[in-house]
Amino acid sequence: MKNKVNKNLQILSVFCVMSGIATSSYGMHIMEGFLPPLWSLSWSVICIPFFIAGLLSMKKIINEDKKSKLILAMVGAFAFVLSALKVPSVTGSCSHATGVGLGAILFGPMVMAVIGAIVLLFQALLLAHGGITTLGANVFSMAIVGPIAAYGIYKLCRKLKAPQWLAVFMGAMLGDLLTYVTTSIQLSLAFPAEVGGVEASLIKFLGIFALTQLPLAISEGLLTVVVVNSLKKYSEQGLINLGRLSKEGKIC
Amino acid sequence: MRELDYYAYHSRLRRFYPEQKVIFASMLLLTTLMTKSFLLFISVSVLTMYISILKGGMPMKLYLKLLGLPLGFLCISVLTLMVERAASREGLLLALQLQTIIIGISKEGLIKGSQLFLKAIACVNVLYFLCLSTPLNDILHVLQKAKLPQLLIEMMQLIYRFIFILMDMALTTQLAQASRLGYKDLKTGLRSMGQLLSTLLYRALKMNDKVYTALEARGYNGTLRVLSNEQYERLSLIKLVAIEVILIGVAILENLLIR
């Protein structure tokens, strides 16, 4: 078992190097005041149905098992703390949606729309990552597109009889990547280029954001595998109780 | 993160009604977003900095440090926007030719870029005014009064509480690791970071169990009830409206002058 733990740590180290390099140069939350008012408003409006569906689904989960309310809150707090922790030797903080991708695989994407929105609001108010006016756009890319993609890809891989670790990896990685693609699309829609319009602008943003985020996405996938594995181990040993999750056998 | 929360609780502006501060900040944000006036952006920035530093008692040095946080994203995005492909070198302030492709910054691009830069900085200043004068708990009270779903508010309260406990855990562990030379070089540092993350998640879930047991022993049935007996003072409405009118006036004035 010790060897296994060591191996996990190695994977984690790789993750940290990669995310450190990527995030030291680029943050990916759209900052306060960056989007024109019309776009801020439209993205917020688009988020509302997902948000309400998330709230309803959350209510259902909590009614089934009261304890899951605290677990959900803990996942939110964990995602937040991850985004605020300093990665060694690289200045700046590593701010990404790791907990959100993980949560989508554990709890389903709908709930994560709500948790993600809360985490993003707190990041704006406590860390100055993102902003209030751009909350809608950030929620759409990070708490709606990302989790839905992660969950869908995870389920698809499981259907194709892929091993669980691969499914988790693919889900978390591609979900992460799609988040940045969405951010690029949002920025290019708001700021089309003089020559070439939205497309030219999209290529510029995709080039800068998505490509630099690729190593980060891979590392996020690795981290999620490590975390899901350790969760599984802990709950098999009876050290933690995941409530509804372990009953449904989603990960275990 | 500690900084924003700490100064929000210790701000001299804390005693005012949070609703008023939220509304004032939203008004400022709205006017800043709606206009394209350089003068307005600068006056909003100066105004909010004045309020936060001199009225609120935020140390100037720290405030400037906070202001530097979003600069990375801002510079990269603005540069990405300004550098464009062009048909010819004509009208470009700065041009770079790669065989047949010409990329460069045009005058309009520069104006647009700097406009966006100042606008974003002004908005960030407004955001800081809100963050540094109103603790999150107060903002949650405002949201509660705005009749947001109870479940949502409760979730926020829970996450807000857990954040600090987890953060404490993470920082203490990191300090303990560092004092044992856990971060002496990159390789060791990254190993320590890995240990930290997996322990943190385990401990979070473990603590969750304990919190739940403790709550249940006290008759927890799904809702946490907290008393709020804060006494707030009113900001003068006339002043707020006057500030808003002056700002809009500044924007209109600049528009007229340019024409």
Side-chain angles (χ1 to χ4, degrees), chain A:
Chain A
M1 197 185 128
K2 214 172 183 184
N3 269 335
K4 223 178 181 180
V5 173
N6 272 333
K7 209 175 164 192
N8 284 354
L9 287 179
Q10 280 170 1
I11 298 176
L12 268 178
S13 321
V14 175
F15 155 78
C16 290
V17 179
M18 288 168 142
S19 64
I21 292 167
T23 47
S24 62
S25 35
Y26 302 102
M28 58 241 41
H29 295 62
I30 301 178
M31 72 179 288
E32 180 69 271
F34 203 75
L35 288 180
L38 197 63
W39 281 111
S40 301
L41 192 70
S42 339
W43 289 116
S44 309
V45 170
I46 292 172
C47 288
I48 288 173
F50 291 97
F51 193 76
I52 291 172
L55 262 184
L56 292 178
S57 132
M58 203 157 155
K59 234 176 208 161
K60 219 179 104 198
I61 293 181
I62 290 170
N63 280 342
E64 278 168 27
D65 176 11
K66 268 184 211 151
K67 203 170 175 176
S68 54
K69 186 190 250 177
L70 291 181
I71 297 182
L72 280 169
M74 201 54 98
V75 168
F78 184 69
F80 181 91
V81 170
L82 267 192
S83 72
L85 274 183
K86 280 240 163 82
V87 175
S89 94
V90 186
T91 45
S93 53
C94 120
S95 66
H96 46 90
T98 308
V100 176
L102 174 71
I105 292 171
L106 293 180
F107 295 92
M110 283 297 128
V111 175
M112 287 325 282
V114 181
I115 300 282
I118 296 175
V119 170
L120 283 168
L121 177 70
F122 282 9
Q123 283 179 336
L125 291 175
L126 295 172
L127 296 174
H129 287 170
I132 299 172
T133 55
T134 51
L135 190 65
N138 284 329
V139 167
F140 185 75
S141 67
M142 290 183 197
I144 292 174
V145 172
I148 286 179
Y151 186 75
I153 292 161
Y154 171 74
K155 281 275 153 188
L156 187 74
C157 288
R158 289 303 274 166
K159 275 228 170 99
L160 294 174
K161 299 272 187 285
Q164 192 193 18
W165 67 268
L166 187 68
V168 170
F169 174 76
M170 292 303 279
M173 185 195 79
L174 290 176
D176 207 41
L177 208 58
L178 277 173
T179 302
Y180 306 126
V181 173
T182 313
T183 305
S184 309
I185 293 173
Q186 286 171 332
L187 285 174
S188 57
L189 278 175
F191 302 103
E194 297 275 314
V195 187
V198 175
E199 269 170 57
S201 186
L202 180 62
I203 291 169
K204 276 196 294 186
F205 278 115
L206 271 183
I208 286 199
F209 280 92
L211 281 185
T212 48
Q213 296 310 330
L214 189 65
L216 181 63
I218 294 172
S219 43
E220 168 140 8
L222 291 176
L223 176 78
T224 313
V225 173
V226 174
V227 173
V228 168
N229 279 348
S230 50
L231 271 182
K232 209 166 125 182
K233 202 164 62 204
Y234 285 142
S235 81
E236 270 166 11
Q237 293 171 346
L239 287 174
I240 48 172
N241 182 9
L242 283 176
R244 176 181 176 270
L245 303 170
S246 53
K247 260 179 250 157
E248 284 215 342
K250 257 187 193 161
I251 62 159
C252 302

Side-chain angles (χ1 to χ4, degrees), chain B residues 18-230:
Chain B
E19 290 92 332
Q20 283 187 317
K21 286 182 279 189
V22 169
I23 291 170
F24 181 57
S26 353
M27 275 183 354
L28 283 183
L29 273 181
L30 213 67
T31 26
T32 317
L33 277 181
M34 294 299 226
T35 48
K36 283 183 178 170
S37 143
F38 281 97
L39 261 179
L40 178 96
F41 299 154
I42 293 168
S43 25
V44 167
S45 292
V46 170
L47 175 77
T48 44
M49 276 166 101
Y50 166 76
I51 295 177
S52 296
I53 296 171
L54 290 176
K55 295 274 173 176
M58 174 80 190
M60 170 100 94
K61 227 175 159 183
L62 206 73
Y63 190 89
L64 292 178
K65 218 177 99 192
L66 281 178
L67 211 53
L69 281 179
L71 278 185
F73 173 88
L74 192 57
C75 291
I76 286 153
S77 314
V78 168
L79 270 181
T80 315
L81 281 174
M82 286 202 297
V83 177
E84 288 194 328
R85 253 183 90 170
S88 70
R89 272 169 177 273
E90 238 169 273
L92 291 187
L93 294 176
L94 236 163
L96 190 74
Q97 193 159 14
L98 303 162
Q99 288 173 343
T100 52
I101 304 166
I102 300 170
I103 52 172
I105 300 173
S106 63
K107 203 178 166 198
E108 293 88 61
L110 188 68
I111 291 175
K112 255 191 195 167
S114 40
Q115 210 170 41
L116 188 62
F117 186 90
L118 283 178
K119 189 190 214 175
I121 288 286
C123 287
V124 168
N125 272 313
V126 177
L127 180 67
Y128 282 156
F129 155 70
L130 188 64
C131 297
L132 292 172
S133 66
T134 323
L136 216 100
N137 261 332
D138 289 3
I139 294 180
L140 289 183
H141 273 297
V142 177
L143 293 178
Q144 202 161 18
K145 277 193 190 147
K147 296 272 183 271
L148 258 72
Q150 189 56 36
L151 178 64
L152 186 67
I153 303 285
E154 241 171 74
M155 212 63 202
M156 286 184 173
Q157 283 170 338
L158 280 175
I159 292 180
Y160 183 56
R161 261 150 239 258
F162 284 156
I163 279 173
F164 287 90
I165 303 173
L166 277 190
M167 202 69 188
D168 242 16
M169 231 185 240
L171 292 179
T172 317
T173 315
Q174 210 166 29
L175 189 65
Q177 286 175 325
S179 64
R180 287 162 184 76
L181 296 182
Y183 292 93
K184 72 177 165 70
D185 54 35
L186 190 67
K187 204 180 145 209
T188 330
L190 293 172
R191 211 180 83 103
S192 306
M193 186 80 194
Q195 279 173 324
L196 171 66
L197 287 189
S198 41
T199 315
L200 192 65
L201 185 66
Y202 168 69
R203 284 222 230 156
L205 290 166
K206 203 75 202 138
M207 190 181 74
N208 199 47
D209 275 355
K210 285 186 194 159
V211 170
Y212 189 74
T213 315
L215 281 172
E216 222 172 21
R218 289 158 181 79
Y220 177 66
N221 59 356
T223 41
L224 282 180
R225 288 192 183 78
V226 198
L227 274 179
S228 109
N229 53 355
E230 299 279 354

